[in-house]
Amino acid sequence: MAIAELKTTRLLLRDWRPEDEAPYAALNADPEVMRYLLGPIDREKSDAQIGSFREHFEREGFGRWAVEVPGVAPFIGTVGITRMPYSTPFTPAVEVSWRLARAHWRQGLACEAAQAALAFGFEQAGLAEIVSITVPANLRSQAVMQRLGMTRDVAGDFDHPNVPVGHALQRHVLYRMSKQAWRERSPG
Ligand SMILES: CC(C)(COP(=O)(O)OP(=O)(O)OC[C@H]1O[C@@H](n2cnc3c(N)ncnc32)[C@H](O)[C@@H]1OP(=O)(O)O)[C@@H](O)C(=O)NCCC(=O)NCCS
């Protein structure tokens, strides 16, 4: 099945290519990028993630796209929507997430890509709600959620089941956006 391509003012969200593997591994090896994600991962794990993102597209029709800035940078990271693969009080749920190489932070690109992913989720994939999660300390990620118009569910704080018990990154916050809230922000 062909992966849908999404175009925004500055970006192309597209299928993964073999040439993305090296730059994706490089950003996954950056301790600053991985600071709130349990630390850097090696090339093998990075490549395996790309495989799982593509499988997710096959299964669900949506997933985590490779993000390109046409004419500027062939690959800057990944943004997309995925079904949460574990159980929490708010699952089943689809989450929007983002991970960009550091050189491409602070230009509004994560937000621009995420808006396209949310539009696809609500308008094409027929989702009723999309959530987002992070650790309380990841203010940059929470700022993206807030810029997107997502609302923190203060009753939704939870311990991430894939983070070791007692780890400093175990506690997570939950943001939500309903299709109706999306429509109200993006009329027409
Ligand atoms: C989280 C992450 C994607 C946020 O990236 P980001 O670039 O800060 O997010 P945005 O795309 O919303 O950009 C907003 C910034 O761009 C600036 N900006 C510059 N030009 C802009 C433009 N044309 N439009 C909008 N914003 C613009 C904004 O002022 C803001 O800057 P500030 O941080 O100084 O306030 C990035 O930090 C990252 O990849 N982190 C590592 C991975 C990670 O933690 N992922 C989340 C796991 S839960």
Side-chain angles (χ1 to χ4, degrees):
M1 186 191 64
I3 290 180
E5 284 195 344
L6 311 184
K7 288 191 177 126
T8 71
T9 309
R10 292 178 289 177
L11 301 173
L12 174 65
L13 279 65
R14 57 161 176 78
D15 193 2
W16 293 81
R17 299 181 187 138
E19 311 87 86
D20 301 329
E21 287 176 5
Y24 188 55
L27 76 83
N28 281 327
D30 180 343
E32 191 58 30
V33 170
M34 301 303 279
R35 183 168 171 192
Y36 302 114
L37 296 165
L38 296 179
I41 56 170
D42 64 18
R43 172 72 187 251
E44 198 180 332
K45 287 200 174 118
S46 179
D47 288 355
Q49 283 190 355
I50 294 176
S52 72
F53 298 156
R54 299 190 83 237
E55 277 167 27
H56 191 288
F57 272 105
E58 288 289 327
R59 210 169 51 243
E60 305 282 352
F62 56 84
R64 288 185 75 141
W65 285 268
V67 181
E68 174 176 339
V69 191
V72 177
F75 176 82
I76 65 164
T78 176
V79 173
I81 45 176
T82 46
R83 209 166 279 289
M84 299 186 92
Y86 46 78
S87 172
T88 68
F90 58 88
T91 55
V94 170
E95 71 168 319
V96 59
S97 57
W98 31 74
R99 191 183 305 176
L100 300 187
R102 226 185 317 162
H104 303 284
W105 294 8
R106 309 193 83 165
Q107 298 169 48
L109 297 174
C111 207
E112 187 170 319
Q115 267 162 342
L118 289 177
F120 188 85
F122 289 127
E123 307 296 348
Q124 307 295 321
L127 302 172
E129 183 185 58
I130 297 175
V131 305
S132 196
I133 63 163
T134 192
V135 295
N138 195 346
L139 299 179
R140 193 162 279 286
S141 192
Q142 287 189 67
V144 179
M145 296 170 198
Q146 288 159 12
R147 277 191 284 272
L148 290 168
M150 303 186 85
T151 306
R152 181 164 173 200
D153 178 352
V154 285
D157 287 11
F158 69 106
D159 289 330
H160 198 299
N162 294 350
V163 178
V165 174
H167 193 287
L169 298 177
Q170 192 184 19
R171 201 72 182 154
H172 276 61
V173 295
L174 171 69
Y175 281 70
R176 296 176 181 269
M177 181 172 243
S178 66
K179 182 170 186 169
Q180 189 180 337
W182 166 258
R183 283 237 162 111
E184 282 164 11
R185 277 182 75 86
S186 317

